[in-house]
Amino acid sequence: MTRKPRLVLVGHGMIGQHFLQTLTRRTPDHPFHITVLAEEPRPAYDRVHLTSLFSGTTEEELALWTTEFADEAPGIDLRLGDPVTAVDRAARTVTTRSGATVGYDTLVLATGSRPFVPPVEGHDTPGCFVYRTVDDVNAVRARAENAKAGVVVGGGLLGLEAAGALHAMGLVTHVVEFTPRLMAAQVDDGGGSALRRRIEQLGVVVHTGVAARTVEAGEDGGVRRMTLTDGTTIDCDLVVFSAGVRPRDDLARACGLPVGERGGIVVDKGCRTADPRIHAIGECALTSDGKVHGLVAPGYAMAEAAAGQITGGSGEFTGAYPAASLKLLGVDVAGFGDAHATGEDALEVTYANSRDDVYKKLLLTPDGRLLGGVLVGDTTAYDVLRPLAAAGAPLTTPPEQLLLPPDAASGAPAGPAALPDEALICSCHHVTKGTIREAITEQGCTDVRAVKRRTHAGTGCGSCTGLIGKLLDSTLGESGAPVAKGLCEHFPQTRPELFEIVRTTGITTFSRLIDRHGSGGDGCDICKPAVASILATLNPRLGNSVHILDGEQAALQDTNDHFLANLQRNGSYSVVPRIPAGEITPEGLITIGEIARDFGLYTKITGGQRIDMFGATVDQLPHIWRRLVDAGFESGHAYGKALRTVKSCVGTDWCRFGVQDSVALAIELELRYRGLRSPHKIKAAVSGCARECAEARGKDFGVIATSAGWNLYVGGNGGMTPRHAGLLLADADHDTLVRTVDRFLMFYVSTADRLERTAPWIERMEGGLDHLRSVLVDDALGICADLDALMARHIDTYEDEWRATLDDPERLRRFVSFVNAPGTPDPTVRFVTERGQIRPAPVLLPVPTGAVAR
């Protein structure tokens, strides 16, 4: 039997994972024996959205190594926490920190970069951190819990994200930037000034044109003060260095591969090093254009070029178009192309509104081609401007029209129609407008999901998804085809319309709904879980007590709902009992500890103030939950699109700063809304004072105590597009607050689209927060009585799903790994021990012959 070629990937970050995905797509027959050697103790995760961990996003939500990918690429030997320490090019082997030796035929270096820490005296004082990994975030967050003030050294993209995190945690925050302006690489002086004004309005103190000189320690040995080069002193308890990165090229240097004068492994257009068996991709590579590229999109392009070369096809990396768009401390900022007028004869078109701190500038050639631009405070035109500049074609729309606000521009603002077919829509996967139009007009894609599946556009950082939707609508409209607004191919109605149909008709089953109001048939993976959620929300309210695992309902559920537990990447499940507001007795802690010990589960405190137990097999779930229910615990609904948690600080009971009893209110709200099924997950928090320790403004609804009552904020979230919640009510009394939250949740559940969080729901709403306030407080639509009644029935009919499951032998029958071998554990679910607890083993074993997997 011929031995498969050995491919070793060193590093498992975003670029390394993209390489694996590209390789898998190109070689579905899996011709390589692949070993991945990772330094971090966790698989690849979305480092772009690392800051969202501060606002409630979980590590699992950032994970890129998914169960779906593991199924597509079986047999990859993923070794975590064991980085490569040496490369022997002559023997074609690598050695890891544990002493393991792994042979290769092809070696791919994706070692990324390391944070640059300036040579500041005292930079290693306890309380000084870098900002690069999940562990870095966890360390910063732990230190911030007892800190009052923090300093971020570096005013670039990552530095301002770190400053936003410190500010959101209630710290007095300083930013120290050596250059004369913030985000010097992306914006010009005008944009930097507008950005600074917006950030300083939030209370963040900005120091530009200076550097950190010393970090001084206090009596406890930790950070106490920073002194700047201009003599300014800053009292602080925490310092984050975010002053850039340097390529991790140590392995290449040690084994004799050429590296650049300022770092980076020298590669050609195919991302090959001087050794044809070794490739380098991502931030560790110095590409043929003489640059080290630090963004995700060029890293992805390098991964694709290397995968193409390794599989015998074509693939080249010839450079990347510079562009970035993001929200920093609540301020929209974007820069693209030649943002600093470095080209000869560049002409400027500028729009500045100092009242609103909006600044926009475009740079053009004399013949009207767009070179680049800067947008601060309003980046709505970025989706169109970036691909126009990248295409290098003359503008067909006057440039001033592209900058003016829509209500001030003469004529409609430019949209996707203004883009040439060669315009790059998705820079992560190098997908052009023409490719997307072809997928729509010739390959039958009629929704964004289909376009993503066909072209991979929008599956990287996700920032182009909105433009894909606009392009889809315009292309379908041009062809005369109807623009589908329905839930899916089986229902012409939207989710809110289906919700109203079920509410008014009393329909209780999916089959009846699809027969009467859809196209008939079995439905799909879009409409079935969406309708299942609607039925779970409304059936008890309509007097029909139908458990989600009963009859037809069971077949509609997502995998997590199907077993009332979260599926993990190795086929095991996690168990999360409800712990309202994070308050738990010693007896409750002991119960959870004993269960975890007896079933051999991995335990971790979650960001929502709960305890998560990982590693349960399907057949163990009822036994675990029997003990939890008997001890008084309920389902935490971590598996469902429902209310997750209402997080709280300790409030007036213990904290000397508290002005209201936040714990009591959080418990009341969590018990009131538990089990409420919704279009997407709902997270909430209650803070007992303005210090905001519960991070309420990063939740779908958040409550912050005032001396006069409670402020209610709505529409916040972490995740890929973090948003701060907006103020809906100020200084409300208890009853007004609860009544308004009741209405807010039921209005959201009734009118939001499938998988739509509260933030985009409010943004999509005409009139936004003001309209929402008029509906919920002033009853502008006359629906408040209906919303109140729906919530009252939800509260009256609540039933713990796990208790009801344990009481029904028929429901319990599903909790087996193999339908023809009840009681037989799944042998593919295997673990190893690390840090005294289990974690998934990297090798998957085949299912036994004759067993039928559920």
Side-chain angles (χ1 to χ4, degrees), residues 53-54 126-131 133-149 165-166 169 171 220 237-240 604 607 647 693 695:
L53 291 172
F54 287 106
C128 290
F129 304 94
V130 293
Y131 189 70
T133 67
V134 168
D135 289 338
D136 294 335
V137 169
N138 292 337
V140 170
R141 185 160 46 192
R143 177 77 180 187
E145 289 181 357
N146 298 307
K148 295 180 180 179
L166 299 187
M169 288 188 289
L171 276 67
D220 62 352
D237 314 284
L238 184 155
V239 174
V240 177
K604 192 176 188 303
K647 186 177 178 180
C693 293
E695 303 165 326

Side-chain angles (χ1 to χ4, degrees), residues 409-729:
S410 56
L419 301 174
D421 276 352
E422 60 270 21
L424 196 63
I425 302 298
C426 176
S427 56
C428 289
H429 294 286
H430 205 78
V431 183
T432 64
K433 173 185 173 181
T435 300
I436 293 175
R437 283 177 57 84
E438 181 180 338
I440 298 167
T441 59
E442 298 182 19
Q443 297 169 353
C445 296
T446 58
D447 57 34
V448 172
R449 185 168 177 264
V451 172
K452 286 184 174 183
R453 184 178 296 169
R454 175 68 65 174
T455 67
H456 300 292
T459 60
C461 71
S463 63
C464 62
T465 300
L467 184 56
I468 295 171
K470 295 174 184 176
L471 185 56
L472 176 73
D473 289 349
S474 65
T475 303
L476 290 174
E478 289 171 9
S479 66
V483 179
K485 298 296 183 184
L487 182 65
C488 66
E489 62 194 69
H490 299 98
F491 286 101
Q493 303 89 352
T494 63
R495 182 199 172 277
E497 289 169 342
L498 288 174
F499 186 96
E500 189 61 20
I501 288 172
V502 174
R503 189 181 73 85
T504 56
T505 63
I507 288 176
T508 61
T509 64
F510 176 83
S511 57
R512 180 169 297 180
L513 183 67
I514 197 170
D515 287 343
R516 291 189 178 183
H517 299 278
S519 61
D522 297 328
C524 64
D525 59 355
I526 294 176
C527 61
K528 288 197 290 187
V531 172
S533 174
I534 293 172
L535 294 174
T537 302
L538 286 176
N539 268 340
R541 266 60 86 195
L542 297 171
N544 304 296
S545 182
V546 179
H547 192 279
I548 66 168
L549 298 184
D550 284 349
E552 185 188 68
Q553 270 284 84
L556 305 178
Q557 307 300 326
D558 282 324
T559 301
N560 288 346
D561 282 311
H562 195 65
F563 290 115
L564 306 182
N566 275 354
L567 178 66
Q568 303 303 312
R569 70 180 183 89
N570 70 333
S572 65
Y573 289 82
S574 66
V575 173
V576 188
R578 186 171 300 285
I579 303 176
E583 184 179 82
I584 187 169
T585 64
E587 289 76 14
L589 285 172
I590 291 169
T591 295
I592 291 176
E594 289 177 340
I595 291 172
R597 180 199 61 204
D598 294 348
F599 288 91
L601 307 178
Y602 171 89
T603 54
K604 192 176 188 303
I605 307 296
T606 74
Q609 299 179 332
R610 303 197 287 194
I611 300 174
D612 204 339
M613 294 177 278
F614 293 83
T617 56
V618 168
D619 53 293
Q620 289 177 327
L621 290 173
H623 304 290
I624 293 170
W625 272 105
R626 170 56 67 192
R627 290 177 60 173
L628 286 169
V629 168
D630 289 346
F633 287 100
E634 295 182 347
S635 168
H637 282 97
Y639 51 81
K641 300 293 186 289
L643 177 81
R644 296 288 176 84
T645 63
V646 181
K647 186 177 178 180
S648 82
C649 63
V650 295
T652 51
D653 284 347
W654 295 96
C655 181
R656 65 186 188 277
F657 300 109
V659 295
Q660 301 283 358
D661 189 352
S662 56
V663 178
L665 180 63
I667 291 173
E668 177 187 355
L669 295 177
E670 184 160 343
L671 295 180
R672 186 176 183 85
Y673 306 128
R674 59 188 170 179
L676 178 64
R677 294 283 172 158
S678 53
H680 210 300
K681 63 186 175 187
I682 299 172
K683 295 184 177 182
V686 180
S687 285
C689 73
R691 290 172 67 89
E692 243 284 72
C693 293
E695 303 165 326
R697 292 199 63 191
K699 308 302 183 190
D700 294 284
F701 73 89
V703 182
I704 301 178
T706 70
S707 58
W710 303 95
N711 287 350
L712 173 61
Y713 295 85
V714 296
N717 62 251
M720 294 184 66
T721 309
R723 294 174 174 90
H724 265 106
L727 181 63
L728 185 66
L729 285 181

